[in-house]
């Protein structure tokens, strides 16, 4: 039935939240306390009691008060900065207070406090807008995909306006729908009225319902499809020295930015710079918010440097150039990029500058990592956490791997991997689409139905179908999906010839929805919802739901975003699209995703992951249908993303700068993180392996290479002195190890030349782009010249396959280690992980082990996306930090000491040809180093196009 009592319950929830706001210890909020506060709310208005679903209200309040948030972490460069933001300065703020009051209706108190704190930190790292001498601050805010970055910068804009910033420019993506969506969000959260080209059609919305009198910022752009900054708007817009700030929401489009630059230059810049003769703006402080800052804003050219001095006549790419030119017009300015994937920004040279554009957009002042609330569903929540040895834990049971979309290794079928724009998708099923897509659509129908029964029917529900980037192919998919939905809608609504449809839906309900709900209530009860309704209740409501579902192709117009805001009740939409859906555009209430797009670029994949975000009350209904390869890559980047955030936190503790973080990102062993550009010949990447673990996970099964690599191991072992046992230290004992230490062999204080010789003789697989024997050898040799990595500890570890012994020498026998395959490949044996989680701890003393564990635990507290259990073994990042830096006032670091760990991996269930010759896998663990030594890695254009490039 419709949710006719929903507003009644929302009013009670809001009142109870207000009554509980000042409760110092939220853990003391029990069901009894909630019932008492509900009774008080009813006393305020007896109408609240009418048909009140008290159980629903209590469940919603418990959910809100169960949320917790880690802390934001910041890398700061204080050069030129004067602290200014005090509580006294904030007393009279009005824009922020009405935004806070408006958000209080929707956010848990802890999330609202976190928003207040983080926007205070960001604003405080900018300059005081009342400071009259020239200043320039540039920062980067790193959030999570679909985690609420727009809400954060809306709060920041409100505070900036209160503080005195007069011109606020928001760079909102490259498409009309994203610009329009951002404008609408700012209409609600900052302006307080619905922007429209016709003043008579403006209506109060959002924060305007709290205070629409004195607080009325000026707007130039509006929410319509043609509402971007244009010639007509430029003619009528005029800046005057008044109290109210001006808001511009513009696309990152060459023509739009040229108009905006010209208008500022002609109408706002009233001062001439004495030294350069340039016209500049001195009377208005500028704030630029760059949403999706890694997309289009970054200069993809390569500026030359002569002995560290940049070529001032270099011409950057158009969008980057125009953003910088706009900033260069102002003597007092702040630029803040927002993104979940900051890697392209990190590649910006920190000294890049030109005469015409001024400095490049490198975030030299600060990088802040926003903490996500515990109810945020991010990559590690969806795809689980790596436990080593090919094991993962806590992967949500919502992933369905599909393979019926193509045949013949992706060269034919309904949607082959490398299809072209003229492809005609054909499938032999009766529906004309793969059965996996049929099931995904059916899952969405059931999800919408259950959400209605859970009183979420007036909230939006969406399904994403993202299978191609070509508009013509999207049209073909749209027609078939729309035909399927209309056909089953008619049968269900009319109740005629509907038995096949209902039987299929009931089977999916019993085979998938019920067991998934049970499992999620057992494994993640804090993220899961109540038990499911009965099938009878679902079946009865299906006709009503089918009347509301519509299929739409997203083509980049503002209308795509407007429908969410303008719909009465919850919109239920199946969105079919490509690049327009892949970045920035929020799909409200995304329940089901059918996703086939292939990319190995970290930032592209993460931005395509629209299913990350918040799924309060319906996480158990969400489904992700995707390929095995994409599951593998998302698991890969989930681990790498978590590791980079931990690295970031440790850099803060060691006094790092934004540049230090850039070096770490560039050198990551997993992530060739972003396309350097569509280059003509090649692109040089400078990589540092310090403070990293590099392990082989892809192996040739060619007999000649197998023998070569095995001989390299035998040669190494036979040249080494007599081995010793692994030291009986904390973490190395049998109870903390997967095997008895007597089966392993250990060498200490070995010259680097042994490791160099091993790498020279070994051949890494071509798919191991950074775990490359030549690169690693060159890096070690460079570090040796600086006095580091001169001495090595070497571990040869046995595995658990006791029926598969391998004789390395007359006195040394090891057993192969079981490592399951990671996808089936004709050219290689691939695994997810070679080393065990505790392997890097082997060289640590007991004190070092304790210190590394302490760092690991501290880091875990900062990451809500991780398991809440307290770690019991140090992670690799903390281990490498301690090895390189030592312990303050206790022990010195050992940056001269590297660690080589060797296994013989095998999947006993999938033996490859020549399996009588063992695979030899190694891990090189490099300690933390203060040195900035790098090696050059050249990637050609074809390699990028095939493996990493994207049109996005």
């Amino acid at each position: 039935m419709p949710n006719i009592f929903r507003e009644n319950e929302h009013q009670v929830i809001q009142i109870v939240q207000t009554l509980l706001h000042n409760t110092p210890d939220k853990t003391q909020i029990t069901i009894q306390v909630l019932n008492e506060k509900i009774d008080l709310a009813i006393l305020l208005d007896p109408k609240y009691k009418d048909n009140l679903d008290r159980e629903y209200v209590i469940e919603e309040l418990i959910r809100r008060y169960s949320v917790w948030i880690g802390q934001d972490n910041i890398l700061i460069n204080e050069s030129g900065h004067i602290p200014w933001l005090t509580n006294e300065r904030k007393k009279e703020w009005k824009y922020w207070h009405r935004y806070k009051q408006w958000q209080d209706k929707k956010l848990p108190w802890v999330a609202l406090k976190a928003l207040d704190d983080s926007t205070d930190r960001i604003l405080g790292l900018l300059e005081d807008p009342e400071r009259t001498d020239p200043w320039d601050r540039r920062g980067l805010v790193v959030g999570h995909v679909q985690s609420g970055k727009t809400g954060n910068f809306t709060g920041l804009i409100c505070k900036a306006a209160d503080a005195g910033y007069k011109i606020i420019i928001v760079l909102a993506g490259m498409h009309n729908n994203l610009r329009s969506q951002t404008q609408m969000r700012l209409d609600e959260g900052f302006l307080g009225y619905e922007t429209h080209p016709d003043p008579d059609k403006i209506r109060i919305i959002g924060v305007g319902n709290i205070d629409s009198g004195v607080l009325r910022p000026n707007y130039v752009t509006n929410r319509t499809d043609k509402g971007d900054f244009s010639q007509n708007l430029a003619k009528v817009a005029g800046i005057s020295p008044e109290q109210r700030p001006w808001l511009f929401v513009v696309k990152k489009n060459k023509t739009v930015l040229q108009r905006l630059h010209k208008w500022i230059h002609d109408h706002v810049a009233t001062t001439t710079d004495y030294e350069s003769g340039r016209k500049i703006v001195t009377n208005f402080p500028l704030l630029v918010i760059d949403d999706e800052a890694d997309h289009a804003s970054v200069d993809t050219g390569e500026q030359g440097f002569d002995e560290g001095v940049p070529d001032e006549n270099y011409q950057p790419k158009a969008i980057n150039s125009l953003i910088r030119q706009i900033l260069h017009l102002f003597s007092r300015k702040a630029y803040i990029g927002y993104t979940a994937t900051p890697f392209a920004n990190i590649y910006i040279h920190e000294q890049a500058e030109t005469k015409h554009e001024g400095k490049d957009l490198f975030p030299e002042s600060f990088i802040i990592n926003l903490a996500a609330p515990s109810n945020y569903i991010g990559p590690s929540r969806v795809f689980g956490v790596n436990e080593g040895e090919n094991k993962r834990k806590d992967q949500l049971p919502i992933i369905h791997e599909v393979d019926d979309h193509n045949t013949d290794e992706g060269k034919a079928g309904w949607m082959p991997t490398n299809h072209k724009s003229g492809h005609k998708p054909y499938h032999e099923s009766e529906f004309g689409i793969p059965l996996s897509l049929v099931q995904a659509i059916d899952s969405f129908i059931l999800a919408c139905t259950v959400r209605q029964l859970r009183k979420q029917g007036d909230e939006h529900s969406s399904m994403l179908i993202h299978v191609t980037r070509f508009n013509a192919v999207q049209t073909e998919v749209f027609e078939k999906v729309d035909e399927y939905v209309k056909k089953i809608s008619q049968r269900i609504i009319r109740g005629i010839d509907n038995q096949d449809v209902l039987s299929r839906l009931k089977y999916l309900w019993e085979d998938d929805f019920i067991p998934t709900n049970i499992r999620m209530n057992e494994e993640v009860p804090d993220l899961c919802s109540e038990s499911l309704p009965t099938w009878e209740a679902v079946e009865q409501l299906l006709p009503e739901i089918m009347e509301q579902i519509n299929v739409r192709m997203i083509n980049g117009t503002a209308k795509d975003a407007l429908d969410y805001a303008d719909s009465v009740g919850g919109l239920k939409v199946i969105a079919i699209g490509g690049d327009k859906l892949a970045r920035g555009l929020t799909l409200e209430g995304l329940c089901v995703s059918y996703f086939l797009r292939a990319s190995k670029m970290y930032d592209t994949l993460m931005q395509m992951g629209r299913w990350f975000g918040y799924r309060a009350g319906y996480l158990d209904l969400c489904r992700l249908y995707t390929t095995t390869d994409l599951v593998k890559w998302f698991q890969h980047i989930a681990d790498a993303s978590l590791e980079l955030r931990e690295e970031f936190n440790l850099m803060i503790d060691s006094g790092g700068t934004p540049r230090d973080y850039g070096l770490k990102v560039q050198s990551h062993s997993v992530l060739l993180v972003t396309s350097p550009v569509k280059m003509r010949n090649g692109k040089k990447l400078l990589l540092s392996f310090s403070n990293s673990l590099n392990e082989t996970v892809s192996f040739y099964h060619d007999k000649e290479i197998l023998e070569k690599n095995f001989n390299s191991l035998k040669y190494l072992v036979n040249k080494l002195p007599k081995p010793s046992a692994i030291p009986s230290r904390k973490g190395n004992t049998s109870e903390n190890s997967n095997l008895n230490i007597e089966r392993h062999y250990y060498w200490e204080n070995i010259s680097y030349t042994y490791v160099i010789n091993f790498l020279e003789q070994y051949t890494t697989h071509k798919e191991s782009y950074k775990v490359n024997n030549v690169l690693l050898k060159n890096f070690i040799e460079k570090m040796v010249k600086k006095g580091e990595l001169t001495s090595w500890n070497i571990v040869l570890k046995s595995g658990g396959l006791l029926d598969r012994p391998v004789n390395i020498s007359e006195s040394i026998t090891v057993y192969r280690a079981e490592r399951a395959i990671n996808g089936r490949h004709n050219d290689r044996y691939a695994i997810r992980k070679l080393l065990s989680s505790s392997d890097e701890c082997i060289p640590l003393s007991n004190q070092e082990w304790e210190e590394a564990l302490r760092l690991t635990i501290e880091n875990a507290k900062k990451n809500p996306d991780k398991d809440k259990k307290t770690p019991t073994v140090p992670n690799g990042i903390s281990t490498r930090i301690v090895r390189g830096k030592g312990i303050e006032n206790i022990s010195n670091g050992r940056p001269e000491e590297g660690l080589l760990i060797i296994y013989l991996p095998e999947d006993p269930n999938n033996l490859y040809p020549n399996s009588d010759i063992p695979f030899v896998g190694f891990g090189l663990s490099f300690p933390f180093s203060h040195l900035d030594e790098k090696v050059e890695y050249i990637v050609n254009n074809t390699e990028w196009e095939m493996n990493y490039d994207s049109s996005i």
Side-chain angles (χ1 to χ4, degrees):
M1 62 185 296
N3 305 311
I4 56 176
F5 306 121
R6 183 93 199 264
E7 183 60 32
N8 180 38
E9 288 149 359
H10 272 188
Q11 291 287 344
V12 172
I13 289 168
Q14 189 176 345
I15 293 168
V16 172
Q17 279 201 153
T18 303
L19 293 171
L20 293 170
H21 185 71
N22 293 320
T23 304
D25 183 2
K26 297 300 189 287
T27 63
Q28 300 301 311
I29 299 176
T30 63
I31 291 179
Q32 180 180 345
V33 170
L34 292 176
N35 272 310
E36 291 171 357
K37 301 303 181 186
I38 291 171
D39 291 338
L40 287 175
I42 292 171
L43 288 175
L44 295 175
D45 189 339
K47 292 181 181 177
Y48 290 154
K49 190 175 182 180
D50 295 343
N51 300 298
L52 180 70
D53 188 340
R54 186 179 286 254
E55 185 177 333
Y56 166 77
V57 171
I58 290 174
E59 181 181 336
E60 176 66 13
L61 287 165
I62 289 173
R63 182 186 64 78
R64 294 190 182 193
Y65 284 104
S66 298
V67 174
W68 62 278
I69 300 178
Q71 65 184 62
D72 297 337
N73 293 290
I74 312 172
L75 286 173
I76 304 174
N77 179 357
E78 295 281 12
S79 177
H81 178 56
I82 300 175
W84 63 279
L85 187 57
T86 62
N87 288 330
E88 187 67 26
R89 184 70 178 272
K90 295 160 56 179
K91 277 186 176 179
E92 302 302 320
W93 284 5
K94 296 178 180 177
Y95 291 113
W96 164 251
H97 285 300
R98 73 173 185 178
Y99 181 66
K100 182 180 180 182
Q101 188 175 341
W102 183 61
Q103 288 284 26
D104 192 41
K105 299 177 181 179
K106 301 182 286 184
L107 293 179
W109 73 273
V110 68
L112 188 57
K113 185 178 187 305
L115 175 64
D116 191 4
D117 291 343
S118 67
T119 47
D120 264 7
R121 290 190 193 97
I122 298 166
L123 184 64
L125 290 168
L126 307 182
E127 290 307 310
D128 184 351
E130 295 181 1
R131 179 179 164 185
T132 56
D133 62 314
W135 44 263
D136 185 352
R137 295 289 283 175
R138 308 202 179 196
L140 185 67
V141 179
V142 182
H144 300 257
V145 175
Q146 299 287 292
S147 66
K149 294 185 297 297
T150 306
N152 187 280
F153 71 65
T154 302
L156 178 64
I157 287 171
C158 290
K159 289 185 176 181
D162 281 319
Y165 280 87
K166 296 303 182 187
I167 297 181
I168 300 168
I169 299 173
V170 179
L171 306 171
M174 299 186 67
H175 304 296
N176 284 331
N177 56 4
L178 182 53
R179 192 212 69 83
S180 180
Q181 175 181 273
T182 304
Q183 179 81 60
M184 287 187 287
R185 295 283 296 275
L186 289 167
D187 287 358
E188 285 187 305
F190 175 53
L191 296 177
Y193 53 92
E194 195 175 74
T195 53
H196 197 280
D198 183 351
D200 294 332
K201 294 184 179 179
I202 291 174
R203 64 186 181 93
I204 301 299
I205 59 171
V207 294
N209 291 313
I210 296 171
D211 186 340
S212 61
V214 178
L215 300 178
R216 196 174 176 85
N218 296 298
Y219 75 97
V220 182
T221 55
N222 63 67
R223 61 169 48 199
T224 64
D225 194 28
K226 297 180 179 180
D228 208 339
F229 193 78
S230 63
Q231 294 282 18
N232 291 334
L233 289 175
K235 289 177 183 177
V236 299
I239 292 286
S240 57
E242 56 177 308
Q243 291 301 309
R244 294 187 296 164
W246 285 79
L247 175 68
F248 300 76
V249 182
V250 299
K251 289 194 304 289
K252 288 187 245 188
N253 172 278
K254 180 180 177 181
T255 303
V256 171
L257 293 175
Q258 283 174 333
R259 288 178 193 145
L260 181 57
H261 176 269
K262 185 177 188 304
W263 178 78
I264 294 172
H265 181 273
D266 294 347
H267 298 282
V268 189
T270 58
T271 305
T272 301
D273 181 66
Y274 177 76
E275 292 184 1
S276 65
R278 293 186 303 114
K279 287 182 69 176
I280 57 174
V281 181
T282 57
N283 55 335
F284 295 110
L286 169 72
L287 171 63
V288 174
I289 300 288
D290 188 353
D291 193 16
E292 307 294 344
D294 62 311
H295 191 43
S297 304
V298 178
D299 180 24
T300 57
E302 195 164 347
Q303 183 172 8
F305 289 81
D306 184 7
E307 296 183 355
V309 178
D311 175 9
E312 66 174 18
N313 295 314
Y314 164 74
Q315 180 56 54
K317 300 301 181 182
I319 303 299
N320 173 268
S321 172
L322 287 162
I323 294 171
R324 290 163 60 183
Q325 286 180 53
I326 290 170
L327 288 163
H328 205 38
L329 282 171
F330 289 77
S331 64
R332 298 179 292 154
K333 65 252 189 178
Y335 167 89
I336 306 177
Y338 274 76
T339 182
T341 50
F343 310 112
N345 308 78
I346 295 304
Y347 277 90
I348 299 170
H349 198 293
E350 74 273 24
Q351 294 177 328
E353 187 171 356
T354 64
K355 184 176 182 180
H356 190 50
E357 286 86 4
K359 291 190 299 184
D360 206 345
L361 302 177
F362 180 77
E364 62 182 6
S365 302
F366 64 89
I367 302 176
I368 179 170
N369 243 335
L370 293 179
S374 57
N375 62 339
Y376 170 71
I377 310 302
S380 295
R381 284 287 194 187
V382 176
F383 295 98
V385 177
N386 182 23
E387 284 196 302
E389 299 184 11
N390 256 26
K391 298 176 183 175
R392 301 193 71 79
K393 65 175 181 178
D394 300 335
Q395 179 169 298
L396 291 179
I398 63 174
I399 301 171
H400 292 260
E401 296 182 13
V402 305
D403 61 6
D404 56 351
H405 60 289
N406 63 24
T407 56
D408 299 329
E409 298 182 5
K411 298 176 183 177
W414 181 72
M415 199 62 63
T417 303
N418 297 316
H419 66 271
K420 305 299 182 183
S421 59
H423 173 66
K424 298 291 183 181
Y426 166 79
H427 199 275
E428 64 275 8
S429 77
E430 61 179 298
F431 310 105
I433 53 178
L435 295 181
S436 59
L437 180 52
V438 171
Q439 185 184 106
I441 296 169
D442 290 350
S443 294
F444 179 63
I445 294 168
L446 292 176
C448 291
T449 308
V450 177
R451 292 199 73 192
Q452 184 96 338
L453 290 167
R454 287 180 177 173
K455 302 198 175 188
Q456 298 171 354
D458 58 351
E459 296 179 11
H460 305 302
S461 294
S462 302
M463 176 180 177
L464 161 67
I465 299 178
H466 187 163
V467 297
T468 177
R469 66 186 178 91
F470 300 113
N471 288 342
V473 185
Q474 290 170 28
T475 301
E476 300 271 349
V477 175
F478 165 79
E479 289 174 355
K480 285 295 183 182
V481 170
D482 191 48
E483 178 185 339
Y484 171 72
V485 171
K486 286 178 178 175
K487 185 179 293 184
I488 64 171
S489 292
Q490 291 173 358
R491 292 180 180 180
I492 291 175
I493 292 169
R494 295 175 181 176
I496 301 173
D497 195 22
N498 63 359
Q499 286 307 307
D500 287 348
V501 178
L502 291 177
S503 295
R504 192 169 66 247
L505 289 170
K506 185 177 182 181
Y507 177 80
L508 181 61
W509 178 259
E510 294 174 345
D511 184 63
D512 182 10
F513 275 69
I514 291 176
T516 298
N517 176 270
I518 292 171
R519 182 176 165 188
M520 290 185 70
N521 269 293
E522 292 172 349
E523 296 179 2
V524 284
D526 56 324
L527 297 176
C528 196
S529 186
E530 61 197 51
S531 60
L532 293 169
T534 64
W535 168 252
E536 289 71 25
V538 171
E539 184 177 3
Q540 183 179 354
L541 190 59
L542 280 172
E544 180 182 325
I545 296 299
M546 294 308 302
E547 287 183 335
Q548 300 174 44
I549 293 176
N550 65 91
V551 184
R552 182 167 307 149
M553 192 164 67
I554 303 297
N555 57 21
T557 67
K559 185 177 183 296
D560 301 325
L562 282 170
D563 279 350
Y564 279 121
D566 295 345
S567 64
V568 178
L571 188 67
K572 296 174 178 61
V573 62
I574 298 175
I576 299 169
D579 296 351
K580 308 298 187 298
L581 278 175
R583 179 180 282 272
L585 187 68
T586 298
L587 288 170
E588 303 282 355
L590 182 62
C591 300
V592 178
S593 299
Y594 191 87
F595 184 83
L596 303 180
R597 280 291 298 278
S599 171
K600 291 181 182 177
M601 274 173 23
Y602 175 96
D603 50 4
T604 302
L605 278 174
M606 287 291 282
Q607 290 292 349
M608 286 178 173
R610 300 287 96 192
W611 50 83
F612 302 131
Y614 302 96
R615 303 290 182 265
Y618 64 100
L619 179 60
D620 60 315
L621 308 177
C622 295
R623 297 292 182 271
L624 168 58
Y625 290 80
T626 191
T627 66
T628 301
D629 279 347
L630 281 170
V631 170
K632 177 189 72 173
W633 272 96
F634 270 109
Q635 289 173 341
H636 221 29
I637 64 176
D639 298 338
S641 176
L642 198 59
E643 181 181 310
L644 280 172
R645 283 184 173 268
E646 291 177 342
E647 293 273 13
F648 186 92
N649 296 338
L650 287 169
M651 281 183 191
I652 295 168
D653 297 336
S654 61
T657 66
R659 186 73 241 160
D660 297 324
Y661 183 58
L663 292 173
K664 171 50 62 179
V665 170
Q666 291 180 34
S667 304
H668 199 281
S669 60
V670 170
L671 308 175
L672 283 172
V673 289
T674 186
S675 172
V677 285
K678 304 280 198 305
M679 69 296 275
R680 290 180 181 173
N681 298 311
K683 177 68 180 180
K684 296 178 182 177
L685 300 180
L686 294 176
L687 309 177
S688 170
F689 294 104
S690 292
N691 196 19
S692 70
L693 171 67
N694 303 271
E695 55 184 320
T696 50
V697 292
S698 290
F699 306 91
Y700 288 105
H701 46 70
D702 174 81
K703 183 175 182 179
E704 183 177 339
I705 296 177
L706 281 171
E707 288 180 338
K708 182 175 183 288
N709 289 345
F710 185 41
N711 287 335
S712 69
L713 171 61
K714 290 193 291 185
Y715 183 84
L716 170 67
V717 169
N718 283 302
K719 288 291 183 181
L720 288 171
K722 184 178 179 180
S724 58
I726 288 177
S728 294
R729 299 178 185 141
K730 193 167 288 189
N732 296 340
T733 56
S734 58
E735 64 266 19
N736 288 323
S737 178
N738 60 329
L739 288 169
N740 294 327
I741 59 176
E742 292 81 12
R743 292 179 183 155
H744 311 314
Y745 300 90
Y746 185 60
W747 293 266
E748 283 187 309
N749 302 320
I750 301 299
S751 169
Y752 75 93
T753 56
Y754 289 88
V755 178
I756 292 294
N757 289 335
F758 172 72
L759 292 172
E760 283 179 338
Q761 297 175 47
Y762 190 100
T763 299
T764 48
H765 196 280
K766 64 180 181 179
E767 286 289 319
S768 300
Y769 291 106
K770 286 189 178 180
V771 186
N772 177 290
N773 58 301
V774 177
L775 284 179
L776 294 166
K777 168 185 167 291
N778 292 344
F779 177 72
I780 293 170
E781 289 175 333
K782 275 196 151 190
M783 296 295 282
V784 167
K785 290 178 181 179
K786 297 288 185 177
E788 296 191 0
L789 300 181
T790 55
S791 175
W792 284 75
N793 297 328
I794 300 175
V795 188
L796 176 58
K797 293 200 74 175
S798 277
L801 298 175
L802 302 183
D803 59 337
R804 299 285 282 166
V806 178
N807 296 323
I808 308 296
S809 68
E810 290 184 2
S811 59
I812 294 179
T813 298
V814 294
Y815 299 94
R816 304 192 199 202
E818 184 172 357
R819 298 291 185 269
I821 62 169
N822 183 21
R824 296 185 179 276
H825 309 276
N826 292 330
D827 66 332
R828 64 192 185 277
Y829 162 46
I831 61 177
R832 285 201 174 96
K833 189 79 175 166
L834 177 72
L835 270 57
S836 297
S837 57
S838 60
D839 282 346
E840 289 185 89
C841 299
I842 289 172
L844 298 183
S845 68
N846 288 340
Q847 285 180 316
E848 289 171 335
W849 193 92
E850 293 284 0
E851 174 64 9
L853 180 60
R854 184 191 68 79
L855 288 174
T856 302
I857 293 171
E858 288 299 311
N859 237 322
K861 293 177 181 177
K862 300 173 183 177
N863 290 295
D865 209 23
K866 288 193 71 174
D867 190 349
K868 292 179 184 177
K869 296 176 183 176
T870 302
T872 58
V873 176
N875 63 16
I877 298 169
S878 301
T879 300
R880 296 188 291 272
I881 289 280
V882 170
R883 281 168 47 207
K885 296 180 66 176
I887 307 173
E888 188 175 358
N889 300 323
I890 296 178
S891 66
N892 295 324
R894 304 190 302 278
E896 74 283 356
E897 186 179 283
L899 176 63
L900 168 63
I901 303 168
I902 300 172
Y903 278 95
L904 307 182
E906 182 177 282
D907 184 348
N909 299 313
N910 297 278
L911 294 180
Y912 284 88
N914 306 309
S915 60
D916 54 315
I917 309 170
F919 295 104
V920 176
F922 69 83
L924 286 172
S925 174
F926 296 103
F928 173 88
S929 173
H930 288 288
L931 298 180
D932 189 21
E933 291 300 312
K934 295 182 281 290
V935 289
E936 186 177 279
Y937 178 36
I938 299 178
V939 189
N940 64 40
N941 187 41
T942 302
E943 188 174 312
W944 274 107
E945 290 286 341
M946 289 182 64
N947 294 294
Y948 297 98
D949 195 25
S950 166
S951 62
I952 296 175

